[in-house]
Amino acid sequence: MSSSVLTSQGIFTTSRIGSSESPNSGASSSFTQPMEDMNENEETDLLSISWNQDYGCFAAGTSHGFRIYNCEPCKETFRRDLKSGGFKIVEMLFRCNILALVGAVANSHYPPNKVLIWDDHQSRCIGEFTFRSDVRGVKLRRDRIVVVLEHKIYVYNFTDLKLLHQIETLANPRGLCCLSHYSNTFVLACPGLHKGQVRVEHFGLNVTKLINAHDSQIACFTLTLDGLLLATASVKGTLIRIFNTMDGSRLQEVRRGVDRAEINSIALSPNVQWLAASSDKGTVHVFSLRVRVFGEDSVTQPNAVQGPALFHQNSSSSLDPLISPNTGANPNSSLSFMRGVLPKYFSSEWSFAQFHLPEYTPFIVAFGSQNSVIIVGMDGSFYKCSFDQVHGGEMVQQEYVRFLKFENRPR
């Protein structure tokens, strides 16, 4: 692995992405070709979609560049296009002017083994990393850059781009990696070295936790913003499990279905009251969580040794203190009283609310405002739907937008 630093000055600025201020035309840039608008009649393919860290925006990597969208309401904020090709990875840093970009295979100037740290305010590249193999994922924090290769993860300091940590992983072609985003904690989750294992690094506490989450390969996982809870799914796609990242204990298990499915996205609501998941079966499921995190200040001190106060209840009779009065619970099978006698799925917790979508299209999910779920698809579709937090059931569509249209594509 090799990396080169173009500059370490001015990485953090106060401008927001999509600012109307003129770019600094005198700034040096590693882009050998200027970003410019393409002909609207040219065909555009969608290569990737990803949320920013607070799920208020999403980025779309296209065959000609990238576009940034606001979620509520869905609206294109800005786009950057270039003639040499597109980007397969576009990682935002909240709503600021910094992005991480990785070129698509067809990009003639920016290969898939290079990460560009792009400052859109200055309209130039402020740093780059070049690797011997293709980059599978990039994650950003305000103080760290994390680059994911198929068998290794590199953690860099944001201010000077110095390498801080290297982590070996099992084969990770999906580029799975999650970060916490509270300034007082730095938690990283990634595949471990064994099938079904997730490795959790609490860098501030110098603690590594290995969680044997599933018997099959890990397909998807996510962390809460504070990094205290981890939700995981395997390639079987039937069960989603929630873990305490401090001690590795399993707190809850919910069931998406009985048949195999590919889980594309998992989201946890900010209040840790709900979990949403999308799969190739064409249904977004929302589950009620009975896990609560109390005392967020319990990890505000860097030298604190005690873990967060996580509460886990198995008995439905003890849910009342943990679930607000207007919140429902996941349905169980009518035969759940025979737990331990009948097959496991009879005692499973099933989804509380559902929303149906086209099958086989990858969708990513996030929670919006007022009990809503935001859904973005690789077919260029955007949905906002709401669910009844008391009765659950079928969610109600509130908004639908085609954020990227494919009219020019031959049929």
Side-chain angles (χ1 to χ4, degrees), residues 331-350:
N332 293 85
S333 165
S334 60
L335 299 177
S336 60
F337 67 93
M338 299 188 69
R339 186 187 308 267
V341 178
L342 293 175
K344 189 174 182 180
Y345 61 81
F346 283 108
S347 59
S348 297
E349 293 182 54
W350 298 80

Side-chain angles (χ1 to χ4, degrees), residues 121-247:
H121 175 59
Q122 301 183 59
S123 192
R124 70 186 184 98
C125 183
I126 57 176
E128 67 178 49
F129 306 92
T130 303
F131 301 88
R132 296 191 183 97
S133 60
D134 287 0
V135 176
R136 301 297 185 179
V138 182
K139 299 297 178 183
L140 299 181
R141 278 172 51 101
R142 289 189 173 96
D143 57 353
R144 296 290 185 270
I145 300 169
V146 178
V147 180
V148 183
L149 306 184
E150 184 152 353
H151 293 276
K152 205 162 191 177
I153 291 177
Y154 296 93
V155 181
Y156 298 90
N157 190 39
F158 215 142
T159 55
D160 55 14
L161 305 188
K162 288 185 178 178
L163 180 64
L164 301 177
H165 307 282
Q166 301 181 49
I167 302 173
E168 301 280 348
T169 71
L170 197 65
N172 185 16
R174 301 169 185 253
L176 299 178
C177 183
C178 282
L179 310 180
S180 65
H181 293 288
Y182 281 12
S183 59
N184 58 327
T185 60
F186 179 21
V187 183
L188 180 150
C190 64
L193 289 171
H194 302 284
K195 182 174 67 174
Q197 185 182 78
V198 178
R199 174 173 177 164
V200 180
E201 292 286 348
H202 292 267
F203 287 110
L205 302 175
N206 197 27
V207 171
T208 300
K209 203 69 195 175
L210 300 177
I211 299 174
N212 295 314
H214 299 271
D215 294 330
S216 305
Q217 297 275 14
I218 299 295
C220 188
F221 55 74
T222 191
L223 287 168
T224 48
L225 290 177
D226 58 13
L228 300 182
L229 294 179
L230 170 75
T232 68
S234 75
V235 293
K236 291 178 66 176
T238 55
L239 298 172
I240 299 172
R241 291 168 174 158
I242 299 92
F243 296 89
N244 175 348
T245 64
M246 294 297 293
D247 61 14

